[in-house]
Amino acid sequence: MNLDFDAAIFKRRREALIKRMLPGVAIFPAAPEYLRNGDVHHDYRQHSDFYYLTGFEEAGALALIIKEHGEHSFVLFVPKRDKMMEIWNGRRAGPEGAIKKFGADAAFTLEEIESKVPEYLRNVQRMYVHLGDETHFDERVTGWLNRVRAMKRQGFNAPTELHDPSEIVHEMRLHKSKDDLRYLRRACEITSEGHNAGMRATRPGMFEYEVQAEIEHVFRKQGSRRNGYGSIVAGGDNANILHYHENNMQLNDGDLLLVDAGTEFGMYTADITRTWPVNGKFSEAQAEVYNWVLKAQLAAIDACRPGKTFRDPHNIAVEVLTEGMVAMGLLTGNPADIIATQAQWDEDVKNKVKNPANDEAPRTYREFYMHNTGHWLGMDVHDVGRYKDGDAWLPLKPGCVLTVEPGLYIAKDRDDVPEKYRGIGVRIEDDVLVTEGDPDVLTRDAVKTVEDIEALMAEAMAKA
Ligand code: GLY
Ligand code: MN
Ligand code: MN
């Protein structure tokens, strides 16, 4: 399969956007560059909406997508060709490349933005622009508007309606097309391979960052330029810190290692978590906790179907996990009652009947499972797209991709639970495509059962 740059993909998306727009001009800025220190910038990554519609990766650019005004429907403003700048900072497409490679109907340099954008806005009723992310950009938009308003006596009217294009673009991004899935599937394959390599390489005494290097080595070797988020490589009790990022502890024989790492391919990211034993063999207590999480995950994955809502996989995972918590003696009581108690507390907090700052929260599954079971996945790890329409959770539709990532977190200092479980943190996360039929687990290649993980690690250790 050819996964090289393909201008036709971006053209299809612009056409789809134009179809959904009312006549008007949509403005999309490239992601800004951020200084790290001195003249060194943080690694640059294009804004996902901008890339989705243009395929263009240079900073500073601006795109206009126009419906039924004038002769152009796609205009790009791009850094101008500059021999010296290109020697120092990299190649530029320039306006010529913007037309030839990226399919713009017209292209200009960044220096021409201030004069040309107001021209494109003359006699346009609707302007589509997302405000509020960057004050500097918001001010520029106001400037362009005021420039057109100043042309009134020359007979030009300025836009009077402001729309946020995110509503349309994010709805488009939520429903993955064949084009999206080509890249997302590959990101998931590469990430699965990386996790398997991490399992094979792990040994007691290694540092968390060494395992990270083994995993990310596979990501890079398989053609991924960057990760979708900072890798979490958490040995032992570190797994109970949900967003652990130090990744600098030495791994202990007998501990588990939780790895949450996902890499990008073609600007789409995977998001996988696997938890495996540092020495290759789960203890009985570790396997017990692991298998409850796995049972919850498989049940939740099975709920990723049309006819279900975004919330159903979470509710099912909570049911299984709570049953597990009671079976293991982490909680006492009837699982259904425990879940109902938590629901009542949430309702009371929402209605301000209870205040978490003053009132004591009930002891429920939330003590050991404190996050949600998933999120949309795509170009951004916590991808765009709404979760609710009014009060109703969104129905799952073919083409939606979500993560399914239940966990159990039993911190080392929990002296109120059986000792054998203390310090165990487990999360299992896969990326699931909703289809007309069964859920398509895009990350199925990452080894997952206790038996398969132990077999993979034993085989690697025997070879070493
Ligand atoms: N890796 C971030 C998450 O799982 O949501
Ligand atoms: Mn996730
Ligand atoms: Mn994750």
Side-chain angles (χ1 to χ4, degrees), residues 127 131 137-147 149:
M127 192 169 147
L131 299 175
F137 175 71
D138 297 353
E139 284 168 1
R140 291 180 79 192
V141 172
T142 314
W144 301 329
L145 260 177
N146 282 337
R147 208 82 49 80
R149 287 171 184 158

Side-chain angles (χ1 to χ4, degrees), residues 28-308:
F28 295 92
E33 278 188 297
Y34 293 104
L35 268 186
R36 178 170 157 173
N37 48 54
D39 57 354
V40 175
H41 290 88
H42 281 283
D43 288 349
Y44 186 74
R45 183 194 182 275
Q46 188 53 278
H47 190 287
S48 295
D49 285 346
F50 189 88
Y51 183 83
Y52 182 77
L53 294 166
T54 67
F56 195 75
E57 293 201 61
E58 292 177 41
L62 188 79
L64 305 184
I65 296 178
I66 303 169
K67 176 161 183 168
E68 292 173 21
H69 275 286
E71 51 184 321
H72 303 145
S73 65
F74 177 36
V75 180
L76 269 178
F77 294 88
V78 302
K80 66 168 181 262
R81 299 291 313 270
D82 178 323
K83 205 162 183 160
M84 201 47 100
M85 289 301 282
E86 290 185 57
I87 286 171
W88 283 89
N89 296 325
R91 296 184 185 91
R92 294 175 171 187
E96 198 181 308
I99 291 171
K100 218 166 149 193
K101 177 170 177 192
F102 295 91
D105 302 317
F108 306 94
T109 66
L110 301 186
E111 289 73 16
E112 293 170 282
I113 288 179
E114 297 308 318
S115 62
K116 288 281 176 200
V117 172
E119 281 180 26
Y120 278 102
L121 292 174
R122 289 188 305 208
N123 288 336
V124 167
Q125 182 185 336
R126 275 174 221 94
M127 192 169 147
Y128 287 81
V129 64
H130 177 76
L131 299 175
D133 285 349
E134 286 284 324
T135 318
H136 176 61
F137 175 71
D138 297 353
E139 284 168 1
R140 291 180 79 192
V141 172
T142 314
W144 301 329
L145 260 177
N146 282 337
R147 208 82 49 80
V148 198
R149 287 171 184 158
M151 297 177 200
K152 197 164 148 183
R153 263 169 296 160
Q154 297 162 43
F156 297 120
N157 292 318
T160 51
E161 283 179 36
L162 203 59
H163 295 247
D164 189 337
S166 318
E167 187 69 14
I168 306 175
V169 176
H170 294 179
E171 173 71 12
M172 287 167 60
R173 282 177 54 192
L174 173 60
H175 301 281
K176 273 68 184 173
S177 66
K178 274 203 190 93
D179 293 331
D180 301 310
L181 289 170
R182 279 164 69 186
Y183 297 92
L184 188 51
R185 277 187 195 282
R186 186 76 193 118
C188 289
E189 283 165 11
I190 296 173
T191 301
S192 302
E193 200 178 314
H195 277 258
N196 291 345
M199 291 179 209
R200 286 194 198 96
T202 301
R203 301 286 182 277
M206 279 173 83
F207 283 83
E208 290 165 341
Y209 52 73
E210 290 180 84
V211 178
Q212 180 177 354
E214 297 286 347
I215 294 168
E216 294 181 2
H217 173 76
V218 172
F219 292 170
R220 297 293 93 77
K221 289 292 277 186
Q222 292 299 324
S224 161
R225 282 189 287 170
R226 65 172 92 77
N227 299 344
Y229 54 93
S231 299
I232 296 169
V233 184
D237 198 39
N238 294 340
N240 295 311
I241 302 167
L242 297 178
H243 291 155
Y244 177 74
H245 58 267
E246 283 93 341
N247 298 358
N248 60 1
M249 197 194 76
Q250 199 165 16
L251 298 174
N252 296 315
D253 199 341
D255 278 352
L256 291 178
L257 174 65
L258 181 154
V259 174
D260 185 344
T263 209
E264 265 191 19
F265 190 83
M267 302 289 269
Y268 289 78
T269 189
D271 182 8
I272 297 183
T273 306
R274 288 291 184 268
T275 308
W276 60 84
V278 167
N279 62 14
K281 192 102 188 85
F282 286 87
S283 73
E284 216 172 284
Q286 288 166 349
E288 205 183 341
V289 175
Y290 189 92
N291 280 326
W292 276 111
V293 177
L294 182 58
K295 187 173 177 191
Q297 205 230 10
L298 295 175
I301 289 174
D302 195 53
C304 296
R305 298 172 180 277
K308 302 283 185 187

Side-chain angles (χ1 to χ4, degrees), residues 271-274 293-305 310 312-314 316-317 369 371-377 396 401-407 427-434 439-441 443 448:
D271 182 8
I272 297 183
T273 306
R274 288 291 184 268
V293 177
L294 182 58
K295 187 173 177 191
Q297 205 230 10
L298 295 175
I301 289 174
D302 195 53
C304 296
R305 298 172 180 277
F310 173 80
D312 286 318
H314 176 69
I316 288 163
Y369 182 46
H371 59 76
N372 289 318
T373 304
H375 48 83
W376 302 131
L377 182 77
L396 293 176
V401 176
L402 68 162
T403 66
V404 181
E405 49 178 305
R427 179 165 64 256
I428 308 173
E429 177 173 25
D430 280 303
D431 305 338
V432 180
L433 168 68
V434 180
D440 185 354
V441 181
T443 45
K448 188 156 79 166

